[in-house]
Amino acid sequence: MQLSDDNFPLNIKIGFGKLFEQYKEHINSEDPLVQERAKAVLELSKKHPELVSGLETPEEVERLKPQIDFILSDLFAPVLQQNEIKVATIPFRNYIFKSTKRFENILKNAEGNYDLSFTNFTADEFYVMACSVILGAHYGKRMDSRRPFHFAIPDANKITRNYRVLYNGDFIEMKPTDRAVDLTEDDIAELIDNFDDIDLWKSKFPPQSWEFNGFVIGNMYDATVDVALSDLKATLLRQNDEKADEDIEEFEKILQAIFNLPEIKMGFAVYNEEEHQFEPIPQSKNINSFLLNGEMSASCDRALCPHSYESLFVTNEYYCVSDVDKFHKLYPKNPLYKKLKQQHAGSAILAAVRDEGKVLGVLELVSPNPQELNTVNANKLNDIMPYVIDSVRSSKRREENEIELLIQHECTSIHPSVHWKFVQESKRVLAKRYAGEEVGFRQIVFENVYPLFGQIDIKGSSTARNHAIQADLILQLAAIKDVIKLGFEAEPLPVYEQFIHRIDTYLELIHKDLKVDSEQRIRAFIQDDIKPLFEHFDKLSPSLSKAIANYREQLDPNLKLIYKHRKDYDDSITLINKKMSELLDKKQQKAQAMYPHYFERFKTDGVEHNMYIGESITKRDSFNKVYLYNLRLWQLQVMCEMENAYYNMKPKLPLDLDVTSMILVFNAALSVRFRMDEKRFDVDGTYNARYEVVKKRVDKAYIKGTDQRVTEKGKITIVYSQKSDEREYLRYIQFLQSKNVLSDQVEIVQLEDLQGVTGLKAIRVDVLYKTKKNDKQFYTYQDLMKEIGN
């Protein structure tokens, strides 16, 4: 085995020439003991010249071990053997040929479970560092690439201790070999600018191109706490949600190292100021709270005793329980001691995490052993708490931001296409406020944009809903009537006959005409009259109790009403809206990639969508009307796909429903304004408001001179007012007919006048449907219904 590595710039030898030179100066010392010591050391250099020329293998070092120990005895004073952590070694290698007793004991306690190598350097970094040393020693270039050297060695308690090494390089010398490259100033400048280019460094400093002769003295000290605090800061600032649990485990190990207690555990309880209670950390599964002991929340009064509450919330002091068992026996009703005892704690420290005077949570340290945690070592938290506070503060702000983003996304989402405008305005407002000016948000307006509107509406949804309500009320009243009949048989009182008469009256009323207040009146009747009556029946006889139980089983557990047909209706509406929205959103991603535009959709009894396209939205000088025409064609295609998607899912719906589809074409550009109070965009100006009027009323409009609605199942209805729009959409229809998306059955109709709006017309065209059973065959709506029926 060689001390040197063939792939390293230095050919390393262990030599003592520099040390011998210092002893030569002691030959003439006035101190006879120093003079005698110098003579003895120099005598060894004459007997063993290889101690000067350099030893190249560990075997050579071992052969001369007694002589080396004698030479180095001044550097390793016997009286400091149990105190100093010192080694004699060579740089960039973990070969140690002399050490103090304390260092040997450290390795012995580790029981071989360690790797005696530096924890924070790579092989390439060592290579460059060696080259930097040569640049400094031979070329006079100060290249300080030094970083702290650490050894990580576990102790007898299996806690990893970190020892920082300080090297003394007084006893080394270096000289070039025949492989060395003579560097120019340009070479050195290139190296300085390319620290990470290991191939460049190796070309300027080839392996084994320089000779190192000597040794270094490494003085170590236990820097476990310093390193642990540094690691703690890095861990807490990392804020990687994906590795949050791993970071918490690392945090616990760091605390064990700082306190030198391998069994302590960490817990944390979040303080909810509004509810004045403790809660677990929502983002983590691996960190528990000893104050909560598995509960999802606990009031501060129930989790703490008066003394601990005062320490954490009033005086801001650490609260220490040095002997849980002892204090629990003295105060068995104390809620804190009781909880700690239940979790087999021996001692504990609680520390409030505060930010600007407000308690954010409580850090909990718990040991299974009594007196391990106490008022003395609690002071170690003084070095830890600033990092914990920073981390908890950042985590809380991040959570608040995520909540705000979620609210914006779910409730007041701002579409990405216009987000830049809000950012721009926000920056303006913040800049003004930083300058001391009180300004508010200006109106966000986009001018000269073209609107597009479309909807797929559930036909007859109000009628279907009323039928569902009617059917459920009839079922419930009939079930109530059956129970009352049994009650009359058990106890024939005229009042029961009167209840049956009232039910018959309600049933007759519902069968004839379900009025707006009918459901409310029947609910009140059931709550005020039937519920007390059934409570009486429940005690009257076992058979009545069984009948009432059967009745109650039919009720929805939350509504306390029969919710069978209404559930079918609600589930059908939900499924339709979900399917249509998902399809529209998916298609929108591709449309945005074609050309950016504003998009929003709404779920009602069906799905509506608004789009606006124009120069002012895109923030770039690129808009051309071809993008408007493209978006109109895309919209028509997607509406046809949504029709197909719906009628393919229709057989699976709990309730048989139909849909109608409509597109509204508005020929002129308009302005849209973001209404801050409603958190949505709306058209701006009186003239443009005409567009909103048409949008809200047109799907209920009739074809002029008929009682037929303009929208009809199985057809796409395109409402417009200009002849140019008619020509444009007929071209799109012709194109989609060639692709078997629309049928040849096209009609153009005049619409009845709406309030303040006249001259509207509509193109109605049959959609061609494909079924999954036969996706090569195309059907009109009438044919499709037959196919689905088959």
Side-chain angles (χ1 to χ4, degrees):
M1 174 184 174
Q2 296 291 320
L3 296 174
S4 187
D5 184 350
D6 290 340
N7 190 30
F8 200 65
L10 298 175
N11 178 24
I12 296 175
K13 296 179 181 180
I14 296 177
F16 303 91
K18 284 274 190 178
L19 182 60
F20 289 144
E21 288 177 8
Q22 292 199 14
Y23 275 111
K24 287 177 182 178
E25 297 176 4
H26 296 165
I27 288 291
N28 300 318
S29 173
E30 296 179 0
D31 188 333
L33 293 177
V34 172
Q35 190 179 99
E36 184 180 345
R37 167 76 181 159
K39 289 179 181 179
V41 170
L42 292 173
E43 186 64 29
L44 284 177
S45 70
K46 294 175 183 177
K47 287 184 179 181
H48 303 282
E50 62 266 42
L51 291 173
V52 178
S53 61
L55 309 174
E56 298 189 38
T57 67
E59 290 77 17
E60 292 177 350
V61 174
E62 192 62 31
R63 179 173 58 81
L64 295 173
K65 189 73 166 60
Q67 290 82 2
I68 293 173
D69 287 345
F70 180 77
I71 294 169
L72 297 178
S73 58
D74 281 347
L75 299 175
F76 290 81
V79 293
L80 298 176
Q81 285 286 310
Q82 298 294 340
N83 181 271
E84 288 187 333
I85 311 173
K86 184 185 287 188
V87 297
T89 182
I90 52 178
F92 316 116
R93 293 290 180 270
N94 60 2
Y95 178 66
I96 295 171
F97 56 88
K98 186 169 179 60
S99 60
T100 60
K101 289 292 182 184
R102 185 176 176 189
F103 181 77
E104 291 173 5
N105 290 334
I106 289 171
L107 297 188
K108 183 179 178 181
N109 288 333
E111 298 178 350
N113 184 27
Y114 67 96
D115 176 18
L116 196 59
S117 57
F118 296 108
T119 59
N120 51 344
F121 290 90
T122 65
D124 287 350
E125 287 173 332
F126 272 134
Y127 200 104
V128 174
M129 193 179 298
C131 298
S132 300
V133 172
I134 299 168
L135 284 173
H138 187 77
Y139 291 95
K141 301 295 183 180
R142 298 291 296 175
M143 298 280 290
D144 191 358
S145 62
R146 292 173 297 175
R147 285 164 41 205
F149 292 92
H150 289 100
F151 283 128
I153 306 173
D155 64 12
N157 292 322
K158 309 303 181 187
I159 293 176
T160 299
R161 315 297 300 175
N162 282 276
Y163 297 92
R164 184 169 179 179
V165 190
L166 301 175
Y167 285 111
N168 182 328
D170 290 344
F171 309 109
I172 63 173
E173 54 184 341
M174 286 186 294
K175 58 183 179 180
T177 69
D178 55 2
R179 297 186 183 182
V181 176
D182 190 17
L183 301 183
T184 65
E185 288 295 325
D186 289 341
D187 291 331
I188 296 172
E190 186 180 8
L191 289 169
I192 290 172
D193 291 334
N194 292 277
F195 175 83
D196 294 326
D197 190 345
I198 187 62
D199 292 332
L200 175 65
W201 285 89
K202 286 184 176 181
S203 69
K204 306 299 183 184
F205 294 96
Q208 300 290 294
S209 58
W210 286 77
E211 184 177 286
F212 171 97
N213 192 332
F215 68 97
V216 294
I217 294 295
N219 288 283
M220 303 185 200
Y221 68 90
D222 190 337
T224 301
V225 173
D226 294 338
V227 173
L229 287 173
S230 178
D231 290 345
L232 175 67
K233 184 177 182 180
T235 299
L236 293 177
L237 294 179
R238 196 153 41 224
Q239 296 183 357
N240 186 338
D241 291 338
E242 294 180 1
K243 295 186 177 181
D245 291 333
E246 293 178 21
D247 288 344
I248 287 165
E249 290 178 9
E250 184 66 24
F251 184 18
E252 193 168 73
K253 290 178 182 177
I254 291 169
L255 289 173
Q256 291 169 354
I258 292 173
F259 281 85
N260 199 22
L261 298 172
E263 295 183 271
I264 63 171
K265 298 292 182 184
M266 182 197 73
F268 193 88
V270 176
Y271 175 60
N272 183 331
E273 186 178 12
E274 291 182 4
E275 303 294 333
H276 193 53
Q277 65 183 21
F278 293 120
E279 298 170 356
I281 296 178
Q283 304 97 327
S284 175
K285 299 177 182 177
N286 284 8
I287 183 166
N288 299 312
S289 168
F290 294 92
L291 290 176
L292 291 170
N293 192 19
E295 298 178 17
M296 292 308 297
S297 64
S299 66
C300 296
D301 298 333
R302 192 158 54 87
L304 299 171
C305 61
H307 293 297
S308 56
Y309 182 91
E310 184 178 6
S311 295
L312 298 175
F313 285 90
V314 181
T315 62
N316 192 24
E317 298 173 345
Y318 304 138
Y319 188 76
C320 304
V321 186
S322 59
D323 193 329
V324 172
D325 191 52
K326 171 186 172 183
F327 288 109
H328 179 253
K329 287 177 181 177
L330 289 172
Y331 309 101
K333 293 184 179 180
N334 185 297
L336 175 60
Y337 302 157
K338 188 176 180 181
K339 280 198 172 185
L340 291 174
K341 178 69 176 175
Q342 289 171 348
Q343 296 169 86
H344 309 290
S347 54
I349 301 173
L350 303 180
V353 178
R354 287 173 172 263
D355 181 31
E356 297 180 352
K358 290 186 177 182
V359 176
L360 304 180
V362 175
L363 177 67
E364 311 157 354
L365 299 184
V366 172
S367 167
N369 306 311
Q371 298 184 342
E372 275 197 347
L373 294 171
N374 49 64
T375 58
V376 177
N377 59 12
N379 287 292
K380 292 190 174 187
L381 287 174
N382 292 338
D383 298 322
I384 299 170
M385 291 306 290
Y387 304 130
V388 176
I389 291 169
D390 281 345
S391 176
V392 174
R393 182 197 296 125
S394 299
S395 178
K396 190 170 183 64
R397 287 176 181 170
R398 191 165 69 252
E399 182 186 0
E400 290 171 353
N401 289 339
E402 288 174 356
I403 290 170
E404 186 62 30
L405 285 172
L406 182 62
I407 292 171
Q408 288 185 13
H409 182 267
E410 296 294 332
C411 308
T412 58
S413 177
I414 295 172
H415 195 262
S417 63
V418 295
H419 185 261
W420 64 271
K421 189 82 169 181
F422 290 84
V423 172
Q424 188 181 71
E425 180 62 14
S426 298
K427 287 181 177 179
R428 185 194 70 84
V429 170
L430 289 175
K432 292 286 187 183
R433 289 180 180 176
Y434 291 151
E437 297 182 37
E438 284 297 324
V439 296
F441 231 66
R442 292 184 302 201
Q443 292 286 342
I444 303 292
V445 180
F446 293 96
E447 298 178 341
N448 295 318
V449 296
Y450 293 89
L452 295 92
F453 174 76
Q455 70 174 33
I456 184 162
D457 189 46
I458 297 170
K459 184 175 176 63
S461 58
S462 299
T463 303
R465 185 188 296 109
N466 288 338
H467 286 163
I469 295 170
Q470 185 181 42
D472 281 343
L473 291 176
I474 290 170
L475 279 176
Q476 188 159 3
L477 289 171
I480 292 169
K481 182 178 177 180
D482 290 341
V483 175
I484 297 176
K485 282 181 178 179
L486 287 175
F488 183 72
E489 291 176 7
E491 191 180 33
L493 300 178
V495 69
Y496 300 155
E497 287 186 292
Q498 185 264 340
F499 275 118
I500 293 172
H501 171 72
R502 287 179 68 185
I503 290 171
D504 287 339
T505 302
Y506 280 128
L507 286 170
E508 185 179 354
L509 177 68
I510 294 169
H511 276 297
K512 283 184 179 179
D513 182 22
L514 182 68
K515 297 186 181 298
V516 175
D517 65 339
S518 297
E519 183 182 9
Q520 186 177 354
R521 287 169 58 193
I522 292 170
R523 282 192 180 192
F525 168 63
I526 293 171
Q527 179 66 28
D528 299 339
D529 297 319
I530 300 303
K531 185 179 178 182
L533 179 64
F534 279 13
E535 289 173 358
H536 168 67
F537 281 172
D538 226 354
K539 302 171 185 175
L540 205 59
S541 72
S543 60
L544 270 174
S545 294
K546 185 178 179 181
I548 292 170
N550 291 336
Y551 161 76
R552 286 172 178 160
E553 284 180 3
Q554 300 177 59
L555 305 182
D556 180 89
N558 296 318
L559 300 174
K560 303 302 179 185
L561 296 167
I562 287 180
Y563 181 60
K564 181 180 181 299
H565 295 90
R566 275 172 290 188
K567 186 176 187 306
D568 288 345
Y569 173 82
D570 290 342
D571 288 350
S572 296
I573 296 293
T574 301
L575 288 169
I576 293 168
N577 285 348
K578 184 174 185 292
K579 179 69 174 179
M580 297 299 101
S581 297
E582 285 177 351
L583 177 58
L584 187 56
D585 290 346
K586 185 177 179 181
K587 295 293 182 181
Q588 246 296 301
Q589 293 176 7
K590 294 182 179 179
Q592 288 291 342
M594 296 178 198
Y595 194 82
H597 57 279
Y598 179 80
F599 169 81
E600 63 181 355
R601 62 164 173 77
F602 309 95
K603 294 179 183 178
T604 52
D605 286 348
V607 176
E608 300 177 359
H609 65 271
N610 285 319
M611 294 184 289
Y612 299 104
I613 187 169
E615 188 71 57
S616 60
I617 287 178
T618 58
K619 194 189 169 183
R620 61 191 189 199
D621 186 17
S622 63
F623 179 72
N624 186 288
K625 269 200 170 184
V626 69
Y627 295 117
L628 169 64
Y629 303 146
N630 181 72
L631 193 59
R632 285 176 172 176
L633 175 57
W634 171 88
Q635 181 188 37
L636 182 56
Q637 287 178 304
V638 171
M639 294 293 287
C640 294
E641 288 186 49
M642 292 170 72
E643 280 270 345
N644 264 276
Y646 172 71
Y647 283 107
N648 272 291
M649 72 180 292
K650 178 178 178 177
K652 302 174 186 176
L653 294 174
L655 193 64
D656 185 22
L657 296 169
D658 281 301
V659 297
T660 59
S661 297
M662 184 201 72
I663 291 172
L664 174 62
V665 183
F666 196 74
N667 187 267
L670 45 74
S671 296
V672 291
R673 180 186 301 271
F674 186 79
R675 304 202 177 279
M676 296 293 180
D677 52 344
E678 300 178 23
K679 298 293 186 288
R680 69 179 184 87
F681 278 100
D682 202 355
V683 295
D684 192 35
T686 305
Y687 171 75
N688 294 333
R690 176 174 174 267
Y691 171 71
E692 288 294 328
V693 172
V694 176
K695 199 166 70 174
K696 291 174 182 176
R697 299 177 183 175
V698 70
D699 66 319
K700 301 294 189 293
Y702 290 91
I703 297 174
K704 199 164 189 175
T706 72
D707 58 357
Q708 184 183 358
R709 284 273 179 89
V710 67
T711 56
E712 185 178 341
K713 58 191 177 185
K715 297 178 184 289
I716 296 283
T717 300
I718 303 162
V719 178
Y720 60 96
S721 61
Q722 302 294 319
K723 189 66 176 178
S724 60
D725 296 329
E726 179 182 301
R727 291 194 295 267
E728 179 185 343
Y729 274 86
L730 286 176
R731 290 196 298 270
Y732 299 155
I733 290 169
Q734 188 177 20
F735 169 67
L736 294 179
Q737 286 170 339
S738 69
K739 301 181 73 172
N740 291 319
V741 174
L742 295 172
S743 82
D744 294 333
Q745 301 176 38
V746 180
E747 58 179 329
I748 297 175
V749 297
Q750 187 85 28
L751 270 64
E752 66 175 8
D753 293 342
L754 301 177
Q755 185 177 352
V757 181
T758 60
L760 291 177
K761 299 175 73 176
I763 301 172
R764 305 203 310 173
V765 55
D766 286 76
V767 180
L768 289 180
Y769 301 95
K770 294 186 289 185
T771 67
K772 291 181 180 178
K773 285 195 301 181
N774 186 357
D775 60 5
K776 293 182 180 179
Q777 182 68 42
F778 300 95
Y779 303 87
T780 61
Y781 173 78
Q782 291 76 13
D783 294 335
L784 179 67
M785 291 302 100
K786 295 176 185 177
E787 175 68 16
I788 292 175
N790 291 336

